[in-house]
């Protein structure tokens, strides 16, 4: 009798959820009857874990660890560096009077791979 229910359950769509490592935020959610493929871009690889969970109801199970913690690995490296006010913004030339970075300004410096969730020290 139980095998009958398992066969029927396999035909139902499963809701796959990719969550933050603390399981508080769903980053991506998709229904599937064929499984779930999770590809981690190099810029998201590092020591940070994602929590992958499947559910028939689409509701997360906060009481039990029914999912998997996954992370990606690639060679840690700095891809590019520049000073900018916004992520992906134009490079700031500190020799111009109107453009300069001072103490307290948020500055975007690096584009990295394999360092997501790691501490990186930049000495100036």
């Amino acid at each position: 009798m139980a095998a009958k229910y398992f066969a029927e359950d396999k035909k139902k769509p499963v809701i796959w959820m990719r969550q933050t490592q603390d399981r508080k935020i769903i980053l991506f959610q998709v229904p599937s009857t064929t499984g779930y493929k999770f590809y981690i871009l190099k810029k998201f690889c590092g020591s940070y874990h994602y929590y992958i969970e499947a559910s028939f109801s689409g509701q997360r199970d906060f009481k039990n660890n029914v999912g998997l913690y996954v992370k990606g690995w690639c060679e840690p490296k700095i891809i590019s560096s520049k000073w900018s006010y916004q992520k992906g913004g134009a490079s700031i030339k500190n020799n111009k009077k109107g453009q300069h970075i001072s103490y307290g300004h948020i500055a975007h410096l690096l584009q990295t791979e394999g360092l997501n969730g790691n501490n990186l020290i930049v000495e100036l």
Side-chain angles (χ1 to χ4, degrees), residues 94-106:
N94 248 358
N95 58 357
K96 291 185 179 179
K97 190 173 185 176
Q99 288 186 330
H100 63 278
I101 295 176
S102 298
Y103 179 80
H105 286 165
I106 295 176

Side-chain angles (χ1 to χ4, degrees), residues 89-118:
S91 184
I92 295 171
K93 308 290 186 218
N94 248 358
N95 58 357
K96 291 185 179 179
K97 190 173 185 176
Q99 288 186 330
H100 63 278
I101 295 176
S102 298
Y103 179 80
H105 286 165
I106 295 176
H108 296 269
L109 306 174
L110 307 171
Q111 189 175 27
T112 64
E113 289 180 355
L115 295 170
N116 190 21
N118 296 40

Side-chain angles (χ1 to χ4, degrees), residues 23 60-65:
R23 299 172 59 186
R60 295 185 281 178
D61 187 345
F62 291 107
K63 296 179 183 176
N64 303 302
N65 284 328

Side-chain angles (χ1 to χ4, degrees), residues 4-85:
K4 177 184 173 186
Y5 290 112
F6 291 132
E8 290 175 9
D9 284 345
K10 288 181 182 179
K11 294 176 186 175
K12 293 179 185 177
V14 175
I15 308 298
W16 290 92
M17 296 170 277
R18 180 177 3 140
Q19 304 170 46
T20 55
Q21 65 185 3
D22 60 6
R23 299 172 59 186
K24 291 185 178 180
I25 300 171
I26 296 175
L27 301 171
F28 183 72
Q29 187 171 345
V30 64
S32 174
T33 55
T34 59
Y36 177 63
K37 181 191 267 188
F38 176 46
Y39 178 77
I40 300 175
L41 296 173
K42 288 183 178 183
K43 68 181 180 178
F44 297 121
C45 292
S47 63
Y48 187 86
H49 286 84
Y50 297 92
Y51 187 74
I52 308 296
E53 182 177 350
S55 168
F56 285 125
S57 66
Q59 301 296 316
R60 295 185 281 178
D61 187 345
F62 291 107
K63 296 179 183 176
N64 303 302
N65 284 328
V66 295
L68 295 172
Y69 285 98
V70 297
K71 67 178 181 175
W73 186 91
C74 68
E75 190 68 36
K77 60 183 171 181
I78 295 172
I79 301 301
S80 66
S81 64
K82 68 178 177 178
W83 296 84
S84 66
Y85 289 122

